[in-house]
Amino acid sequence: MRATFAALLLALAGVAPAPLPVDQAALLAVDPAPTLGAYHLFADAGARTPNKGLIPYALNTPLFSDYATKHRFVFLPAGQSARYTATGVVEFPVGTTLVKTFAYPAASGERFIETRLLIRKADGWVPNTYVWNAEQTEAVLKRAGARVAVSFKGRAIDYAVPNVNQCKQCHLSGEIVTPIGPKARNLNGSFTYAGGTENQLAHWTRTGMLTGVPATVAATPRWDDPHVPVADRARAYLDANCAHCHSRSGLASNSGLYLNLEESVASALGVGKRPVAAGRASGGLEFSIDPGHPDLSIIVHRMDSTEPGVMMPQFGRTVTHAEGVALIRAWIASMPHDGPTDIASLNK
């Protein structure tokens, strides 16, 4: 009654009431909330204004998702910090929530399609996806996935919202679900905050969000930075788009194709490597990467395809990422045709 009376007084005075704090109990509940708004992650119903405690972040090289713009936030429980790890994803405490909204240009500015939550609970990470209504006033839980017609820049696509099982497949490392993007090296870049531009690792450290960061941390190259060598950008692109499955602990570990940035064996990267069981998906080609010959490389063939069972990645896109394919083609074309295929020669 007292809160209602206070809200009434504020309304009469023309002052908007302060938003309710992030509902940590709802985030950690066994059952997900039916709507995104129930968590109070944002101060407004349309999720344009993050609530207190949500920190925006970006990745140097992100996963391609049908040219969608992604708005990322991290929420940490009050008084807790994440811990730096030299490899893999930053170690987040229980209660951490990673928030990612997928959007496209619209006459009104932006149209939100879906918001994905990845919540760190006591027994592991749990993914949930919320799909926005046409009015952009509410996002509703969709565990079975959805299809959404999207038009942007003269292109029309049948956007695919993943179901829970597809989320888990991409996020599976060994036997556990884990985030993909927020590795320290992929966060090691500048971000423009409300108070100015700052390196994200420095900002997280200064504000107590992250501990244990050493003086020097390697950075994942930006895949679209023309000032960075093609080989470095290509490795970063494959790391972000493929390595969550194609790593020694990923779902595709039995393929023998490991595309993470730390991989140092040329054949494991696909150079001169014959597929284990690609079947028709190989397009009749012999090698994952045929040095000097992008048209003869299975990786290019599968990245260029949108056919189910052939296309790679299997989920998360319905169109070809032309710029990404062009980058990988350029990298393969630059490899010596008949020279050494050690990792040093590939990274030139």
Side-chain angles (χ1 to χ4, degrees), residues 13-330:
V15 178
L20 294 172
V22 172
D23 192 336
Q24 297 185 54
L27 290 171
L28 293 175
V30 173
D31 296 321
T35 64
L36 180 67
Y39 299 111
H40 304 153
L41 291 164
F42 295 90
D44 60 318
R48 263 59 177 179
T49 305
N51 207 345
K52 184 179 180 181
L54 259 73
I55 305 301
Y57 72 96
L59 304 174
N60 291 353
T61 291
L63 175 73
F64 171 75
S65 303
D66 277 356
Y67 294 100
T69 297
K70 301 177 187 177
H71 301 286
R72 297 179 175 84
F73 299 90
V74 56
F75 171 79
L76 295 177
Q80 297 198 43
S81 304
R83 189 167 63 86
Y84 168 84
T85 55
T87 59
V89 175
V90 169
E91 188 173 316
F92 292 101
V94 171
T96 297
T97 302
L98 301 176
V99 184
K100 185 165 58 177
T101 294
F102 295 68
Y104 286 91
S108 58
E110 268 193 323
R111 176 191 175 192
F112 286 3
I113 305 300
E114 58 163 324
T115 296
R116 300 179 189 173
L117 303 184
L118 197 55
I119 305 171
R120 175 73 168 90
K121 300 191 178 184
D123 55 354
W125 290 92
V126 176
N128 281 304
T129 299
Y130 294 82
V131 176
W132 285 91
N133 62 6
E135 295 77 19
Q136 300 283 277
T137 55
E138 186 175 69
V140 177
L141 180 68
K142 292 287 185 183
R143 296 179 65 85
R147 288 280 183 171
V148 182
V150 174
S151 298
F152 66 100
K153 297 181 178 178
R155 187 194 299 264
I157 64 173
D158 186 24
Y159 183 92
V161 177
N163 62 42
V164 171
N165 287 335
Q166 290 170 333
C167 290
K168 289 180 177 178
Q169 283 186 45
C170 287
H171 283 272
L172 203 62
S173 178
E175 299 295 326
I176 62 171
V177 173
T178 182
I180 295 173
K183 301 171 183 173
R185 59 173 167 74
N186 211 7
L187 293 166
N188 191 7
S190 296
F191 188 90
T192 302
Y193 299 94
T197 300
E198 188 176 9
N199 177 279
Q200 292 185 118
L201 294 183
H203 181 84
W204 285 30
T205 299
R206 181 175 61 79
T207 57
M209 294 174 58
L210 183 63
T211 62
V213 180
T216 302
V217 178
T220 300
R222 289 181 58 92
W223 76 275
D224 58 350
D225 184 347
H227 302 293
V228 176
V230 167
D232 292 342
R233 291 192 284 129
R235 290 292 307 272
Y237 185 89
L238 293 174
D239 179 84
N241 284 273
C242 312
H244 45 280
C245 285
H246 282 283
S247 67
R248 296 179 188 273
S249 60
L251 191 66
S253 60
N254 60 355
S255 69
L257 182 64
Y258 309 131
L259 300 175
N260 50 300
L261 206 51
E262 292 80 9
E263 183 55 55
S264 60
V265 179
S267 59
L269 276 171
V271 179
K273 178 186 178 305
R274 298 180 188 277
V276 173
R280 70 178 182 86
S282 68
L285 304 176
E286 290 189 72
F287 304 110
S288 295
I289 291 178
D290 191 334
H293 303 108
D295 288 333
L296 300 180
S297 299
I298 296 172
I299 281 183
V300 172
H301 169 70
R302 302 192 72 170
M303 288 178 61
D304 212 14
S305 176
T306 56
E307 181 183 348
V310 176
M311 62 183 278
M312 281 287 174
Q314 290 180 309
F315 310 118
R317 70 174 179 92
T318 61
V319 300
T320 297
H321 187 200
E323 296 81 0
V325 173
L327 173 62
I328 302 305
R329 291 182 67 89

